[in-house]
Amino acid sequence: MHSNSIILTFDVEDWFQVENLRTWNPPSTWSERELRVEKSTHRILDLLDSISQHSSIYSHSSIPAPVEHPKGGPGSTGQASQPRLNTPKGAPVQQGKHSSISSTFFILGWIARRCPQLVREIHTRGHEVASHGDSHLLCTDMDPDDLAQDLARSKARLEDLIGAEVKGYRAPSFSVNEAVLDQIRKAGYSYDSSYNSFALHPRYGKMDFRPGLETKGIATQVSQGFWEVPISNLRLCKKVIPWGGGGYFRLVPAALFAWGVRRIVHTDGVYVLYLHPWEFDPDQPRVKEISWQFGFRHYVNLKKTGAKLEKLIQSMSDSRFVTCSDYLCMSHK
């Protein structure tokens, strides 16, 4: 396996589906909210394409690298850059021209129902389509039967759209435990990427991996054929410092964050970052009633997310950018 790997992951949900805003945006109101996720996700796709075309970034993907596009194509600023796909329902979507930076997009089923063409385009551009569940409810708060249906429904919907297997899952707000992981496995997924070792966050799941479990790099085989790919955090003086992404990525100065990433890669050989499309959308509607604490965490430095991600990727140009599934396959070689 390549010594240094970067796994960029994006949890595809919209601004009104964030857990910290749930009080003001309950699910019953989602259909009334402005849907902005498609445009903000295209910002991410175009950014990755643009970086790939103007750098020596390398991907594990064996699919040919993208060719140059005319002005206004992939890499142009912020616009949906490829035509919408009209693939018949259930037909396999062929991967074609795409970014050499392969990433994993954990897509919410609620979004997939409303933006099926976005799911297909993510797949067509060479990225991995994975599941973020269907309803964005916390897994640890759901009845086991409801969770089983949520897991199966989102997987089936995404697979129907891209005509390929969906292997991975990420729980909303990293809300997992041993029982939830078992249900994810039973739903047919090959891996989960929900464990966040930063224990001070009340919604993050707590895990106690038993001794003797097989590991491949940072991944742990929780049960036969089923793996956990955890979020990366920084370990300093026996303390876990949240360094996996989200608000922490937006708050910490770019140079300092890149230093932390390099330290993690030096120790673990891989770094797993998570971000959301709404973090690339500084013009999203503001919730005026939100508390200062939640408001700061949600809105801090939204204008800088794209530029900071670009700087981080460029600073790690000697690493290989892979999907979660790529990493697990490479780890077995």
Side-chain angles (χ1 to χ4, degrees), residues 70-112:
K71 185 176 181 180
S76 59
T77 54
Q79 299 299 317
S81 54
Q82 292 191 358
R84 293 293 178 262
L85 303 174
N86 295 312
T87 306
K89 183 178 180 180
V93 179
Q94 299 300 318
Q95 291 177 312
K97 301 172 184 177
H98 68 283
S99 169
S100 65
I101 301 176
S102 298
S103 306
T104 298
F105 287 74
F106 293 94
I107 304 173
L108 190 65
W110 192 96
I111 296 296

Side-chain angles (χ1 to χ4, degrees), residues 39-273:
K39 184 176 181 180
S40 54
T41 303
H42 274 102
R43 288 196 182 107
I44 298 171
L45 293 170
D46 291 344
L47 174 65
L48 298 180
D49 278 347
S50 178
I51 296 172
S52 298
Q53 292 167 15
H54 298 95
S55 71
S56 58
I57 298 296
Y58 184 71
S59 168
H60 173 68
S61 175
S62 60
I63 302 173
V67 299
E68 291 295 325
H69 296 272
K71 185 176 181 180
S76 59
T77 54
Q79 299 299 317
S81 54
Q82 292 191 358
R84 293 293 178 262
L85 303 174
N86 295 312
T87 306
K89 183 178 180 180
V93 179
Q94 299 300 318
Q95 291 177 312
K97 301 172 184 177
H98 68 283
S99 169
S100 65
I101 301 176
S102 298
S103 306
T104 298
F105 287 74
F106 293 94
I107 304 173
L108 190 65
W110 192 96
I111 296 296
R113 287 196 297 276
R114 288 154 180 80
C115 305
Q117 72 282 359
L118 179 63
V119 179
R120 297 187 186 109
E121 184 163 355
I122 289 169
H123 178 72
T124 301
R125 293 226 203 171
H127 302 287
E128 179 183 13
V129 169
S131 171
H132 196 36
D134 195 68
S135 61
H136 209 258
L137 297 176
L138 299 184
C139 294
T140 48
D141 287 348
M142 297 180 70
D143 176 89
D145 290 338
D146 292 339
L147 176 58
Q149 293 179 20
D150 188 281
L151 291 165
R153 187 160 49 239
S154 60
K155 189 175 192 294
R157 177 168 290 114
L158 294 170
E159 289 178 340
D160 186 50
L161 287 172
I162 65 173
E165 181 184 6
V166 169
K167 299 178 180 180
Y169 176 80
R170 174 168 292 158
S173 296
F174 307 127
S175 55
V176 290
N177 54 33
E178 285 87 351
V180 170
L181 282 184
D182 190 52
Q183 286 205 262
I184 297 169
R185 177 190 62 81
K186 289 178 179 178
Y189 295 92
S190 301
Y191 75 85
D192 173 75
S193 182
S194 305
Y195 177 59
N196 191 319
S197 60
F198 181 57
L200 297 182
H201 196 295
R203 286 196 295 267
Y204 292 178
K206 306 298 188 293
M207 300 295 301
D208 185 17
F209 297 116
R210 65 183 183 276
L213 291 176
E214 181 180 353
T215 60
K216 297 289 186 179
I218 63 168
T220 298
Q221 186 173 227
V222 181
S223 56
Q224 184 63 39
F226 181 72
W227 296 81
E228 176 61 39
V229 182
I231 301 299
S232 294
N233 284 319
L234 191 61
R235 295 181 292 276
L236 292 174
C237 301
K238 299 184 179 180
K239 299 290 185 181
V240 175
I241 312 298
W243 219 260
Y248 308 108
F249 172 78
R250 290 181 281 118
L251 180 61
V252 177
L256 177 58
F257 198 90
W259 169 85
V261 171
R262 286 192 293 271
R263 185 182 177 98
I264 293 169
V265 170
H266 177 74
T267 302
D268 298 340
V270 62
Y271 171 74
V272 181
L273 175 77

